[in-house]
Amino acid sequence: MSPIPPSDLKKIAIVGNYLPRRCGIATFTTDLSNALVQEIGIKGEVFALAMDDIPQGYRYPNRVRFQLRANVQPDYRVAADFIASNQANAVILQHEYGIYGGPAGAHVLRLLRELRIPVLTTLHTVLTKPSPEQRRVMDELWRTSDKLVVMSHKAEELLQEIYDVPPEKIAYIPHGIPDVPFVDPNYYKDQFKAEGRQVILTFGLLSPNKGIENMIEAMPEIVKQHPDTLYIVLGATHPHLKQQYGEAYRTSLQRRVVDLGLEENVRFRNRFVETDELCEYIGAADLYVTPYLFEQQITSGTLAYAVGAGKSVVSTPYWHAQEMLAEDRGLLVPFRDPRALAEALLYLFDNEVERHQMRKRAYTYCRDMVWKQVARDYLLLAQTAMEERSRKPRSLAPHRKRVGRIEELPELDLRHLETITDDTGMLQHAIYTTPDRNHGYCVDDNSRALVVCALYSQLYQSNDLDHLALIYLSFLSYAFNEKTGRFRNFMDYSRKWLDSVGSEDSHGRALWGLGMTAAHANSENLRSMSVKMFQQAVKATEKFSYPRAWAYSLLGIHAYLEHYGGDASVRRLRHLLAEKIFDLFKHNSGDDWPWCEPIMTYSNATLPHALLLAGTWIPHGEMRDTGLRCLEWVCNIQKTDRGHYSFIGNQGWYPRGGEKARFDQQPIEAAQLCCACAEAYRATDDERWLAESRRSLEWFLGRNDLDSPLYDFSSGGCCDGLTPDGPNFNQGAESTLAWLISLLTFQTQVARQTLQVKDHEQQVDKIIVPGEREPQTASDQTKV
């Protein structure tokens, strides 16, 4: 058996007919969803979208969360929105032309075009001579599906030979079957008043293509030699056939039974039975027969159930029967040949040893077809599709345009910042735009929120965000443990700390927020509190071990020293931490890998940013040049031929000598690169760096791999990441703060650029007032 699928596949949507609608696909969809629920476990979810063929629909179980009217095309678009809103990881779609509306069921294409998550399409029919409409539907169906699932190897051949489907698009997963024991048929016969009789069974929805009349014609010869034989025809008339023709076909069969004098040997059970009762009927059968009329049947659920239960089967040679009954797992007879049917059935009645050996071969062959294993196969295939999407995301739908350079940036919008802030601090997560109180707060986000407030004060020279800055600063104050000199990080919604000491990274980010507030807050009270806390917390960095903790600390130290440049102890720490990062680069980088670690992970641009800052302001020329050179490499390896950034994804990162993961791309990567490039522009006056900073910012606005904006103009928030299927629509703190920090940083540099132009124009006429100092150079700054 296949292993249990990975746990990151959490939510699956199934589209198709569903019980209590009466048809084979409804039974299949229901059985598959039940099996998936068992395999995905309590931490996952499976929900269904059911196709309705009648105006009033059906009384579905709770798992059916959405009903589509087959002939109402707008329902398909809304269904796609529903799937996206419920954040499914994958869709399993059941396909048969007749269950969807439009020419050749074309309405389903509207649904597929709108989906941005992996789609597995299970084909219940593959036609050898499709009409032009059917061909067009199938052609788009396989192109918009990640995988086509077929239940016979013949279907694989047809898809490649007739429809030119690439082999890698096709996956064989057999029709699922109940896991029933191998039992003696006599065990169940008394339930159906068939004790002591030889029982032949056919089941399924009744329709003329089933060929039941040929089996009835074969019965006189069988009864002549085995008078106690009972042939049970189990199943209701197909609803669509009944709607159009009533019970004409069934009535014709019953009349023929009377004409042949077989009233005691043929029974009709005109009802749709549930799986448990069906298994008992199958269990009571000595022989199973499918006398279907046409070869082009690519799959038969009834045949799969019978063979899987260990029945001896006689069948006409339609495609699925040829595969299922190969290697002496059953007998095949010509189409429309009652005599051949009788001879084959009599042979098995008269050769008990051969019959039981056939049963055993059939039962053994089908053990990998039980629903438990089939569900695992679907989950593994969905996982594979997700991984393939990560490497090669779906291209844009034809009606969408690619996003080029964005000429006009949006205005600053702080609504979502306010939405996810309460009187305790900033909440970590949101479900869409609604704050999620289940995950509480953290120092990481409240620190970044302080950076936003400080950037706002610096750019606009305004106290408008002081009320928020006070909340974030208060949170950091409460998080700081004076005994250990460290910040806690995570707090639940009831204001209980979940850790005694936070990560080094979170401590570094706290220093960044405090340093920025100390440097740029307009309020003396905010600056004083920030300075006090910064001086208490910065001492712990001397013993830190992690490069990104050093880097974030250096961002805060630099901001603090811009205002308090004479603090000798903090300047000493700047030297110490910067040398640690510089040593990492000297010892680990090479011509082919100018990076300080064997793998690039998260917040990568922060490291060259810190090196550039320290090298510029210590000053240390080699350190500064290393920071610039490494930053250029970080830009180049993430820049695509189309001119946008494709950031290193968190599903595998980027190991030295390995492949760069494309997804999931995180807003923090865009933000830190935007800030680093802005600092490079500040240090060099090279406008190329300002262009790279803007390129990072435009990633949020849709200039990315999927041409999908992450910034939400309607809320002012930012989506939590870019997945292979599009944005993660939750708008949590980290992503929203990443957007705001990027926008404010870029706007600050543009303002500085404007001032530099004005300064240059006025340089000749500039008069130095007695007592006023010239602007300091980097080396001057160190002499304060």
Side-chain angles (χ1 to χ4, degrees), residues 54 199 457 492 760:
I54 54 175
V199 177
S457 296
D492 68 17
H760 178 72

Side-chain angles (χ1 to χ4, degrees), residues 55-114:
Q56 67 272 27
Y58 299 87
R59 298 185 65 178
Y60 294 111
N62 292 336
R63 191 171 299 143
V64 174
R65 302 264 300 279
F66 193 91
Q67 295 174 238
L68 294 87
R69 295 164 293 179
N71 292 313
V72 180
Q73 192 180 46
D75 280 10
Y76 293 81
R77 180 189 57 77
V78 177
D81 290 343
F82 183 85
I83 291 169
S85 298
N86 282 273
Q87 299 182 308
N89 302 119
V91 171
I92 301 175
L93 179 104
Q94 307 307 310
H95 183 263
E96 161 67 54
Y97 292 103
I99 69 175
Y100 301 109
H107 285 356
V108 72
L109 301 178
R110 178 69 181 274
L111 168 64
L112 293 174
R113 290 167 188 162
E114 299 294 330

Side-chain angles (χ1 to χ4, degrees), residues 568-587:
S569 62
V570 176
R571 285 165 58 187
R572 181 186 65 82
L573 282 172
R574 175 170 65 183
H575 275 270
L576 176 69
L577 299 179
E579 287 292 348
K580 287 184 176 182
I581 297 177
F582 190 41
D583 285 344
L584 275 181
F585 275 94
K586 287 192 292 186
H587 294 141

Side-chain angles (χ1 to χ4, degrees), residues 212-324:
I212 305 298
E213 63 276 11
N214 292 310
M215 183 58 211
I216 291 174
E217 295 295 334
M219 281 297 293
E221 186 64 27
I222 297 170
V223 171
K224 186 185 301 182
Q225 298 185 40
H226 293 272
D228 62 347
T229 300
L230 175 63
Y231 177 41
I232 299 176
V233 182
L234 174 65
T237 301
H238 196 289
H240 290 174
L241 181 72
K242 186 175 180 179
Q243 184 179 21
Q244 189 170 3
Y245 300 107
E247 293 285 9
Y249 179 61
R250 181 184 299 274
T251 301
S252 69
L253 296 177
Q254 291 171 332
R255 282 202 305 266
R256 188 56 180 159
V257 167
V258 173
D259 292 344
L260 295 172
L262 297 172
E263 294 95 326
E264 297 300 319
N265 300 98
V266 179
R267 291 182 191 168
F268 291 90
R269 291 289 180 264
N270 185 8
R271 58 194 187 89
F272 189 88
V273 295
E274 300 295 332
T275 300
D276 289 345
E277 186 179 2
L278 174 59
C279 289
E280 292 173 354
Y281 268 104
I282 296 172
D286 296 284
L287 300 175
Y288 185 78
V289 62
T290 55
Y292 300 166
L293 300 182
F294 303 106
E295 184 182 40
Q296 296 82 10
Q297 181 152 346
I298 209 68
T299 185
S300 169
T302 63
L303 178 65
Y305 274 42
V307 177
K311 298 291 105 176
S312 296
V313 177
V314 174
S315 176
T316 50
Y318 54 92
W319 287 329
H320 197 207
Q322 291 178 36
E323 289 185 22
M324 289 291 293

Side-chain angles (χ1 to χ4, degrees), residues 737-752:
L737 293 166
W739 157 252
L740 293 173
I741 289 171
S742 300
L743 183 61
L744 286 165
T745 297
F746 182 77
Q747 288 177 337
T748 299
Q749 292 306 320
V750 170
R752 183 175 287 123

